[in-house]
């Protein structure tokens, strides 16, 4: 969604980013980098229709005359509609010459994630006065092996049904009060037909490829 709001508020987030100190190699660091404020200058300048009309005057077919005015600008991608289910797909490959190499680096991720510092101040589906958008981890997909071969396994949390989340998904209704603790339940490691109960610490130490979070409502 492209926003053309007041420059004073266009880059404001739901929660203060200044207090955020994301640790490198964490999902918070990934989100911070993805939503950082970027300057568009030199060859990346923005074509400004208003500036062009101000300089050359209004014309019906201005583009055919090849007369454009480009200006420095700022760009920032923020979340305007937090989803009920939040999925992260981590890029676990990098170019190495003409080949692709798998990235085995561990990326830290929390059981409860706050998306508010990465949401626009006028975020939808957030109760008035709330400055947190919390999600609880319920699933992880892990890949072992190389780019050519390997094995996928999963971690899943068995938990009770979240009726509030169901109302949110089906009817768009959400309560004003937020839960701040992760949804209680038992974690399991699933590898083909083998299923084993594991601790949350085991899950958080995995080499995540996909992360699945549900909204805490």
């Amino acid at each position: 969604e492209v926003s053309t709001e007041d420059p004073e508020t266009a880059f404001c987030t739901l929660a203060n980013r200044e207090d955020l100190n994301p640790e490198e190699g964490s999902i918070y660091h990934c989100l911070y980098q993805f939503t950082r404020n970027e300057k568009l200058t030199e060859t990346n300048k923005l074509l400004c229709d208003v500036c062009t009309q101000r300089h050359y005057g209004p014309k019906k077919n201005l583009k055919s005359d090849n007369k454009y005015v480009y200006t420095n600008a700022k760009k920032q991608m923020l979340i305007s509609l937090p989803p009920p289910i939040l999925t992260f797909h981590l890029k676990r490959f990098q170019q190495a010459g003409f080949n692709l190499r798998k990235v085995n680096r561990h990326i830290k991720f929390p059981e409860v994630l706050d998306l508010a510092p990465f949401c626009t101040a006028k975020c939808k589906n957030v109760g008035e006065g709330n400055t947190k958008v919390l999600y609880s981890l319920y699933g992880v997909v892990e890949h072992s092996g190389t780019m050519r071969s390997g094995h996928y396994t999963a971690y899943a949390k068995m938990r009770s049904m979240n009726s509030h989340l169901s109302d949110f998904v089906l009817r768009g209704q959400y309560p004003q009060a937020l839960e701040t603790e992760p949804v209680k339940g038992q974690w399991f490691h699933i590898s083909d037909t083998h299923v084993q109960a594991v601790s949350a610490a085991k899950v958080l130490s995995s080499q995540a490829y996909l992360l699945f979070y549900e909204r805490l409502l």
Side-chain angles (χ1 to χ4, degrees), residues 111 137-139 155-157 185-189 196-200 203:
E111 272 199 274
L137 183 72
Y138 73 91
Y155 293 92
K157 179 186 279 190
Q186 173 63 55
W187 281 100
F188 290 91
H189 182 233
Q196 180 183 12
V198 295
S199 65
V203 177

Side-chain angles (χ1 to χ4, degrees), residues 27-39:
I27 197 71
Y28 276 118
H29 185 260
C30 296
L31 284 166
Y32 189 85
Q33 290 294 100
F34 188 76
T35 60
R36 73 186 186 278
N37 194 316
E38 301 178 62
K39 293 182 179 179

Side-chain angles (χ1 to χ4, degrees), residues 49-81:
D49 291 333
V50 174
C51 302
T52 300
Q53 291 184 17
R54 185 182 301 141
H55 189 271
Y56 293 107
K59 293 183 179 181
K60 293 183 179 180
N61 194 16
L62 185 65
K63 292 187 178 180
S64 64
D65 297 331
N66 293 323
K67 293 180 179 179
Y68 313 103
V69 174
Y70 293 85
T71 183
N72 293 334
K74 290 194 300 181
K75 181 188 80 170
Q76 185 176 27
M77 290 192 292
L78 296 171
I79 297 167
S80 63
L81 183 64

Side-chain angles (χ1 to χ4, degrees), residues 42 149 151 195:
E42 299 179 354
S149 64
H151 181 57
V195 179

Side-chain angles (χ1 to χ4, degrees), residues 7 32 37-38 49 90 116 119 126 151 181 183 186 192 204 209:
Y32 189 85
N37 194 316
E38 301 178 62
D49 291 333
L90 302 182
C119 294
V126 176
H151 181 57
E181 298 296 327
V183 177
Q186 173 63 55
D192 293 334
L204 297 178
Y209 178 61

Side-chain angles (χ1 to χ4, degrees), residues 17-158:
R17 290 168 67 95
E18 301 300 324
D19 298 334
L20 191 65
N21 185 23
E23 182 181 357
E24 189 172 355
S26 69
I27 197 71
Y28 276 118
H29 185 260
C30 296
L31 284 166
Y32 189 85
Q33 290 294 100
F34 188 76
T35 60
R36 73 186 186 278
N37 194 316
E38 301 178 62
K39 293 182 179 179
L40 304 179
T41 60
E42 299 179 354
T43 58
N44 290 322
K45 283 184 178 181
L46 188 70
L47 171 60
C48 179
D49 291 333
V50 174
C51 302
T52 300
Q53 291 184 17
R54 185 182 301 141
H55 189 271
Y56 293 107
K59 293 183 179 181
K60 293 183 179 180
N61 194 16
L62 185 65
K63 292 187 178 180
S64 64
D65 297 331
N66 293 323
K67 293 180 179 179
Y68 313 103
V69 174
Y70 293 85
T71 183
N72 293 334
K74 290 194 300 181
K75 181 188 80 170
Q76 185 176 27
M77 290 192 292
L78 296 171
I79 297 167
S80 63
L81 183 64
I85 301 298
L86 181 65
T87 305
F88 292 105
H89 185 180
L90 302 182
K91 180 183 175 183
R92 286 208 167 271
F93 66 88
Q94 64 183 23
Q95 193 76 31
F98 294 101
N99 299 316
L100 291 177
R101 177 188 303 164
K102 185 185 174 186
V103 177
N104 290 310
R105 182 181 182 183
H106 175 65
I107 301 297
K108 294 182 179 179
F109 53 94
E111 272 199 274
V112 175
L113 182 142
D114 186 5
L115 205 61
F118 316 105
C119 294
T120 176
K122 297 183 179 180
C123 204
K124 303 169 186 175
N125 285 341
V126 176
E128 185 177 354
N130 288 335
T131 57
K132 290 183 179 294
V133 182
L134 301 180
Y135 287 84
S136 178
L137 183 72
Y138 73 91
V140 179
V141 173
E142 185 178 40
H143 178 268
S144 59
T146 65
M147 292 292 296
R148 295 183 178 274
S149 64
H151 181 57
Y152 288 97
T153 59
Y155 293 92
K157 179 186 279 190
M158 187 176 71

